[in-house]
Amino acid sequence: MAVGARLALVFLINTGVILCHLEETPPRNIAVIGAGIGGSSAAYFLRQKFGHNVGIDVYEKGTIGGRLATVTVNGQQYETGGSVIHPLNLHMQEFVKQLGLKHRKGVPEKVGIFNGEHFVFEETDWYLQDMFKLWWRYGFGLLRLQMWVEEILEKFMRIYKYQTHGYAFSTVEEMMQSLGGERFINLTQRSVAETLQELGISQRFVDEIVTAVTRVNYGQSPSMPAFAGAVAMAGVQSGLWAVEGGNKLVCSRLLESAKVRVIHNMVTSISLEQSGDKAVYQVRYENENEGGYDFYDIVVIATPLHHETTNITFNGFTSPITPFPGHYQRMIVSVVHGYLNSSYFGFLDPKLFPFAVILTVESPKLFMFSTGSICPVNITAKYRRKQPQEAAVWKVFSPEPLSREQLKTIFRSYYSVQVTDWLAYPQYNSAKGIPPIVLHDNLYYLNGVEWTASAMEMSAIAAKNIALLAYNRWNQHLDLIDQKDLVHKIKTEL
């Protein structure tokens, strides 16, 4: 009797295990709106989770890559969008490895920080000399900053382990809480200036070093939230890299690998409709000549849903979905082929000008965020950076288009100017709160993560989270969503 009961119990347990892992009927069609790094990553991860029998359509009104883009000067391409990748960006590292891409060869460069009259900091060829100069001017500010950034990065790296184990989060706040507790939440609400001053970092260091970094990376001041500020600081650490041939290649290769259908049309509306006993989404789209629509079980929106960035309307929802508050930061990128006017920066002899990158502090005398000599996306073994007296390709970041007079201030003369007008990143102080991930059942929004920090890797992390979340919700794997104390839980599982 006891043996029979034991066998029955084993049977029930095993049956229960099998039933727990039975998958629901997979969705027939999934739509991803946007083919930037977020949308292309989402399509890639959705294909991994849902398999090859699911139809995946990616809508893109512009060019694949979104804010990863290039311009051509004299037959060579140069980055105008997202340009650098951190060595700890594991999704981007894995993409390059899996897609057969290569790291682009780096070219040494020296940096100076300009205040409109003179350089407040000048990098040299001697590391120890630079460290002494930083200590002499700023005390131990740099060391404290590095320790702060590394502590945040160490905790944030937990996301890769969570995602490897299939865990997902239904809000950005839940994800931040799981990674770093209330401290991470506070970092999205308090300014980087206030946070660093509490660590004993001087006002001069914030005004000069930190400001220069937040201006070049986000076009904003240290009044921006501390978490985004930490990401900006990580963006000037050593070991940064880019993709040979251009970072936008990651997007096109991801879409090719995922075997999706790319539809080059603009999505105009998303409507909730009934199809039998289940809800589906009608996605309407149009181009210059015609329009159309299709139906999807799951929709992922990977393009900003703010007043100045979207024309998508939502119909049939009991709780209306409207554009989110807040604005995006305008960033003008001017790619100039010409001769730098070194005398404007205090060097009368251009041969003596040592800097390839010129960062700036806040000053009414300055009309630019930064100016840098840039390399093409394809670098040969024989490539060398242009000498300061030679014509080179420069990239100027500014809040407004440069006037002819301003161009003549920075450059002695120039052959060409190509301007890209981006709504590049959130204006972090223009809205409170972070947009939701789940807009409705099986309707997801990827770009809300930008309101914690905007970076290629942040979009890739958000994309994988949404793929896991969509899969877990579709198959009722609720134990893999918003789990508490994941650090301890994963250690226990291991």
Side-chain angles (χ1 to χ4, degrees):
M1 186 70 175
V3 173
R6 192 178 299 115
L7 288 172
L9 180 60
V10 169
F11 174 76
L12 287 172
I13 291 173
N14 287 340
T15 303
V17 170
I18 292 170
L19 289 175
C20 283
H21 288 83
L22 283 176
E23 304 296 310
E24 296 289 330
T25 302
R28 292 182 59 189
N29 295 301
I30 299 174
V32 177
I33 300 170
I37 188 61
S40 55
S41 300
Y44 180 81
F45 289 130
L46 286 164
R47 176 64 75 205
Q48 285 186 337
K49 293 305 298 181
F50 284 101
H52 289 280
N53 293 325
V54 175
I56 300 179
D57 291 344
V58 177
Y59 290 87
E60 175 52 60
K61 65 181 179 181
T63 57
I64 291 172
R67 284 173 274 174
L68 304 185
T70 59
V71 296
T72 302
V73 180
N74 285 353
Q76 295 269 28
Q77 291 187 61
Y78 296 83
E79 301 276 11
T80 60
S83 301
V84 295
I85 304 167
H86 195 276
L88 295 180
N89 289 170
L90 300 190
H91 285 321
M92 293 299 292
Q93 293 274 22
E94 186 66 14
F95 290 159
V96 168
K97 178 181 176 182
Q98 293 297 326
L99 300 172
L101 296 169
K102 297 179 180 179
H103 286 212
R104 189 188 314 163
K105 178 178 176 287
V107 179
E109 60 186 21
K110 288 198 283 289
V111 178
I113 299 177
F114 186 63
N115 69 359
E117 295 179 349
H118 61 271
F119 284 92
V120 297
F121 177 75
E122 301 181 16
E123 189 178 18
T124 70
D125 291 321
W126 303 95
Y127 174 78
L128 291 178
Q129 181 179 340
D130 291 339
M131 291 299 101
F132 178 78
K133 288 165 61 179
L134 286 165
W135 172 79
W136 185 260
R137 187 169 179 84
Y138 306 112
F140 292 102
L142 180 63
L143 177 61
R144 289 170 177 160
L145 176 70
Q146 288 176 332
M147 291 173 64
W148 177 70
V149 171
E150 287 171 9
E151 182 186 356
I152 292 171
L153 285 176
E154 182 181 0
K155 286 184 169 61
F156 192 76
M157 294 289 288
R158 294 170 177 169
I159 191 64
Y160 299 111
K161 188 169 287 186
Y162 296 169
Q163 292 187 336
T164 298
H165 284 75
Y167 290 102
F169 303 95
S170 63
T171 68
V172 176
E173 291 87 347
E174 283 282 354
M175 181 176 72
M176 297 293 283
Q177 178 79 37
S178 183
L179 293 170
E182 283 301 316
R183 184 173 178 226
F184 266 31
I185 298 294
N186 291 336
L187 288 175
T188 67
Q189 299 168 348
R190 304 181 65 221
S191 76
V192 63
E194 181 183 6
T195 302
L196 294 180
Q197 285 167 0
E198 287 183 359
L199 295 175
I201 293 174
S202 70
Q203 185 65 51
R204 174 186 277 185
F205 187 88
V206 171
D207 289 343
E208 295 178 357
I209 301 295
V210 177
T211 296
V213 173
T214 59
R215 280 166 67 85
V216 70
N217 280 320
Y218 287 123
Q220 295 171 63
S221 75
S223 66
M224 68 190 300
F227 187 81
V231 171
M233 298 303 141
V236 294
Q237 289 184 326
S238 61
L240 302 177
W241 58 281
V243 177
E244 180 74 18
N247 294 329
K248 66 181 182 180
L249 285 181
V250 174
C251 300
S252 57
R253 294 286 182 88
L254 285 170
L255 296 176
E256 291 170 11
S257 176
K259 294 181 170 58
V260 303
R261 181 174 66 151
V262 178
I263 301 172
H264 288 283
N265 288 309
M266 180 175 70
V267 171
T268 56
S269 69
I270 299 171
S271 303
L272 179 63
E273 300 197 2
Q274 288 297 127
S275 176
D277 59 348
K278 67 173 184 175
V280 296
Y281 294 101
Q282 182 196 71
V283 174
R284 283 193 170 272
Y285 54 87
E286 63 182 34
N287 57 30
E288 294 179 355
N289 302 315
E290 58 184 2
Y293 62 87
D294 218 327
F295 292 95
Y296 299 93
D297 300 302
I298 296 173
V299 175
V300 175
I301 301 170
T303 186
L305 289 179
H306 288 72
H307 290 284
E308 63 218 330
T309 59
T310 184
N311 294 312
I312 300 174
T313 59
F314 295 86
N315 306 308
F317 297 89
T318 53
S319 297
I321 299 173
T322 57
F324 298 113
H327 302 284
Y328 269 66
Q329 175 70 36
R330 190 184 190 193
M331 179 70 84
I332 306 297
V333 180
S334 302
V335 176
V336 182
H337 181 208
Y339 297 88
L340 189 74
N341 180 17
S342 62
S343 62
Y344 170 65
F345 299 101
F347 287 79
L348 298 181
D349 186 349
K351 294 179 181 179
L352 301 179
F353 189 78
F355 307 116
V357 178
I358 305 158
L359 306 182
T360 64
V361 301
E362 290 187 7
S363 168
K365 298 179 180 180
L366 292 168
F367 49 83
M368 62 181 178
F369 296 129
S370 65
T371 300
S373 171
I374 56 175
C375 303
V377 298
N378 294 100
I379 296 177
T380 65
K382 296 180 180 179
Y383 180 84
R384 66 172 181 84
R385 191 180 292 279
K386 296 287 187 179
Q387 295 298 307
Q389 72 274 19
E390 297 178 306
V393 178
W394 297 83
K395 181 162 64 175
V396 184
F397 289 161
S398 59
E400 300 290 339
L402 298 176
S403 67
R404 185 180 179 86
E405 181 181 350
Q406 289 169 337
L407 283 167
K408 286 187 173 181
T409 299
I410 304 174
F411 300 97
R412 288 185 287 129
S413 63
Y414 53 87
Y415 298 109
S416 66
V417 181
Q418 297 186 58
V419 178
T420 305
D421 190 344
W422 293 111
L423 288 175
Y425 333 95
Q427 284 183 5
Y428 286 103
N429 294 325
S430 67
K432 292 185 177 180
I434 300 170
I437 294 174
V438 181
L439 302 181
H440 198 268
D441 287 345
N442 300 318
L443 177 61
Y444 302 97
Y445 180 48
L446 187 147
N447 288 67
V449 76
E450 284 193 294
W451 288 82
T452 60
S454 181
M456 284 180 262
E457 187 72 4
M458 291 296 290
S459 294
I461 287 169
K464 184 152 191 179
N465 180 67
I466 280 182
L468 291 168
L469 182 63
Y471 182 81
N472 291 338
R473 283 168 62 98
W474 185 270
N475 292 293
Q476 295 298 301
H477 296 169
L478 303 184
D479 58 321
L480 294 175
I481 300 172
D482 294 337
Q483 276 285 345
K484 307 299 182 185
D485 196 19
L486 271 180
V487 175
H488 176 73
K489 185 177 180 64
I490 289 175
K491 284 181 180 178
T492 303
E493 290 176 354
L494 292 175

